[in-house]
Amino acid sequence: MPSLADLQVSSLGPCAYPSPLGSYVAGRETNEYFVSEDDRVLYDDTISLLRRRGEPLETCPSFEPGGPRPQIFHDPATTHVGVVTCGGLCPGLNDVIRAVTLELYTHYGVTQVTGFRNGYAGFDPAHGFEPVDLTPALVGSINERGGTILGTSRGAQDPVVIVDRLVALGIDALIVIGGDGSMHGAHRIVEEITRRGLPIGVVGIPKTIDNDIPHIGQSFGFATAFGEASKAIAAAHVEAESAYNGVGLVKVMGRHAGFIACYAALANHDADFVLIPEVPFSLHGENGLVRSLERRVRERGSAVIVLAEGAGQEHTLATGRSDASGNSRLGDIATIVREAIEKDFHDRGEELTLKFLDPGYGIRAVPADPSDSVYCARLAQVAVHAAMAGRTDMVVGRRRHRFVHVPIPLVIERRHSVNPEGDLWLSVLESTSQPLDMR
Ligand code: ATP
Ligand code: MG
């Protein structure tokens, strides 16, 4: 559990400029739109959690709230903001780029907004990726398309080169839209900026389709992603039900965290088994997958298995390979599960109709659904408010319906994952009736 000190967000300095947003709230009796600089959002939200700490209330961990401040750090007339998207695709990236640009132009009067191309590689002049001017006209309806108009990439980049480029272009604040690796990279950039004593802020908008970044509540694009995955599960269910001894096997994203598998399965209650990285399972034990599936197909005539790509890695041979960013490549659990099921039915002389569905990239590439679009726009606005107020080395998040600022070191120290003892996993077990322990 983080302490109050862990939750302090860094700032470039005192805020000397009145926020242009003041014109919207001028004349109102109270300026409730503005966040009070001495307000905080509690980390714990139940009396029992607070009691467990045994600390006086003022030292209880709390987050800095997100939102507009009456006084800001950067002078909007001269501010230049950079935007970059890094890592894998996720629904909503274009919504975020659009909302950052529009908030800066429309409400802060900032007209220098530069988009860096193809992730962190776009900062290195050696790659020759020319930055683009992000304008309201350019970002007009980009939210209708999936992907990112800026492009993205993986692979290490030197923070010294990145900061050289920020300085050369006169960037005052950089908004990084990316996953855990990107936030590691953002922190390295902050370290280099600090080493040089520069007043340049770095604010992250966490992007993780797997929802595996801690402390930020739900990540943008996650709801769209599990909605898409649930369509594949529904299709697998129809296929399985319509065949004799039909089995649907659906592979969904989730390298280290099974949130997509859990939510997609709960969205339509068609899954008989949900297998996630956090909960080990055996293939051939009495309550293992093969025997349990055999029983379920005998009882109901068909079954659907939802398999997160990172589940059951202990059954695969370590690939020993990694991608350009150093993330290890997963073993192919889907093939192992599929072959084990086919062999079991064959050995028992039973007919089997197994349909394997891998919605894979189709999940990442879709545009955000309306609720994610709203969320993207609001996260982007909160990130702009934070950047203009001189915050740095932080990401925006939304916990319990409150937008908050979270220090980057806190979000990169561990991964968020499904708690096998928690209420989400219990809901999945209730929905599937799979054995509690499948080892
Ligand atoms: P996702 O995994 O959700 O697709 P990600 O941001 O984790 O997104 P990565 O490819 O791991 O994707 O990282 C994106 C960029 O962040 C890389 O191109 C690299 O420049 C930088 N990066 C990744 N890991 C680190 C690290 N440990 N330290 C510094 N920079 C990193
Ligand atoms: Mg990552």
Side-chain angles (χ1 to χ4, degrees):
M1 278 207 281
S3 67
L4 180 56
D6 295 330
L7 293 161
Q8 297 310 310
V9 167
S10 303
S11 177
L12 298 173
C15 291
Y17 301 98
S19 170
L21 265 80
S23 58
Y24 280 88
V25 289
R28 293 171 67 93
E29 275 182 25
T30 56
N31 277 345
E32 283 167 359
Y33 288 130
F34 282 129
V35 170
S36 158
E37 289 290 20
D38 56 12
D39 198 7
R40 303 281 302 176
V41 176
L42 290 178
Y43 184 90
D44 302 308
D45 68 345
T46 66
I47 296 288
S48 60
L49 281 172
L50 282 169
R51 256 196 214 120
R52 208 184 297 167
R53 290 193 182 265
E55 288 178 23
L57 215 54
E58 59 277 10
T59 61
C60 275
S62 56
F63 294 93
E64 188 170 88
R69 270 72 181 161
Q71 292 289 120
I72 56 178
F73 178 83
H74 293 292
D75 178 358
T78 58
T79 299
H80 188 172
V81 176
V83 182
V84 65
T85 51
C86 321
L89 293 185
C90 175
L93 287 165
N94 281 335
D95 292 76
V96 174
I97 296 167
R98 178 177 185 269
V100 164
T101 307
L102 294 180
E103 182 69 22
L104 282 165
Y105 263 85
T106 313
H107 297 294
Y108 283 94
V110 171
T111 54
Q112 298 180 87
V113 187
T114 294
F116 291 90
R117 303 293 318 276
N118 304 325
Y120 287 135
F123 291 91
D124 186 348
H127 288 290
F129 302 135
E130 271 311 300
V132 289
D133 275 343
L134 290 173
T135 61
L138 184 77
V139 300
S141 55
I142 60 170
N143 53 311
E144 290 165 15
R145 267 175 291 148
T148 159
I149 57 156
L150 293 178
T152 182
S153 68
R154 297 194 189 276
Q157 299 298 332
D158 185 352
V160 173
V161 172
I162 295 175
V163 176
D164 282 348
R165 195 70 189 277
L166 293 176
V167 172
L169 293 177
I171 301 283
D172 301 292
L174 176 65
I175 296 193
V176 178
I177 310 160
D180 56 335
S182 307
M183 294 310 144
H184 272 103
H187 187 62
R188 294 269 172 82
I189 297 170
V190 171
E191 286 174 338
E192 179 59 22
I193 289 169
T194 309
R195 201 180 62 75
R196 300 190 198 183
L198 300 170
I200 303 175
V202 178
V203 170
I205 305 180
K207 164 223 66 108
T208 153
I209 202 163
D210 293 347
N211 198 35
D212 59 357
I213 294 186
H215 300 299
I216 60 158
Q218 189 164 299
S219 53
F220 77 78
F222 170 71
T224 305
F226 82 70
E228 285 299 311
S230 81
K231 291 180 196 165
I233 298 172
H237 183 226
V238 170
E239 289 282 350
E241 262 197 335
S242 308
Y244 176 71
N245 281 355
V247 171
L249 175 62
V250 187
K251 178 176 148 190
V252 299
M253 290 185 161
R255 294 175 53 84
H256 305 280
F259 289 107
I260 291 184
C262 291
Y263 276 86
L266 285 169
N268 53 16
H269 290 275
D270 285 338
D272 294 270
F273 301 95
V274 175
L275 305 172
I276 60 173
E278 297 87 336
V279 180
F281 65 94
S282 83
L283 285 170
H284 300 289
E286 187 45 35
N287 276 331
L289 180 63
V290 167
R291 293 276 86 74
S292 301
L293 179 72
E294 185 187 321
R295 286 192 289 270
R296 186 63 62 96
V297 172
R298 200 181 309 127
E299 286 159 16
R300 301 195 186 166
S302 66
V304 172
I305 304 165
V306 177
L307 176 67
E309 60 184 330
Q313 285 298 299
E314 65 277 17
H315 303 302
T316 70
L317 289 174
T319 65
R321 289 181 297 142
S322 48
D323 68 15
S325 294
N327 305 302
S328 58
R329 292 217 191 268
L330 294 171
D332 181 7
I333 184 63
T335 299
I336 289 170
V337 162
R338 183 180 177 164
E339 287 175 357
I341 296 168
E342 284 170 344
K343 179 170 187 314
D344 174 64
F345 276 74
H346 177 264
D347 289 352
R348 291 185 291 110
E350 280 275 357
E351 206 177 301
L352 167 74
T353 310
L354 191 148
K355 289 282 190 303
F356 174 54
L357 280 80
D358 181 0
Y361 289 107
I363 292 180
R364 307 192 333 171
V366 297
D369 71 14
S371 95
D372 259 328
S373 285
V374 171
Y375 189 34
C376 288
R378 298 191 69 194
L379 282 170
Q381 289 164 349
V382 172
V384 168
H385 296 319
M388 292 304 291
R391 296 307 194 269
T392 190
D393 205 14
M394 57 147 277
V395 302
V396 292
R398 191 176 198 216
R399 293 170 59 100
R400 305 179 188 116
H401 304 293
R402 295 272 179 192
F403 287 99
V404 291
H405 297 170
V406 187
I408 290 181
L410 215 60
V411 298
I412 56 178
E413 75 178 5
R414 67 173 173 89
R415 278 201 180 94
H416 179 45
S417 56
V418 176
N419 176 6
E421 312 286 328
D423 62 348
L424 172 61
W425 186 241
L426 177 64
S427 290
V428 172
L429 294 174
E430 287 175 303
S431 168
T432 60
S433 300
Q434 70 194 60
L436 197 67
D437 187 346
M438 289 182 61
R439 279 172 299 174

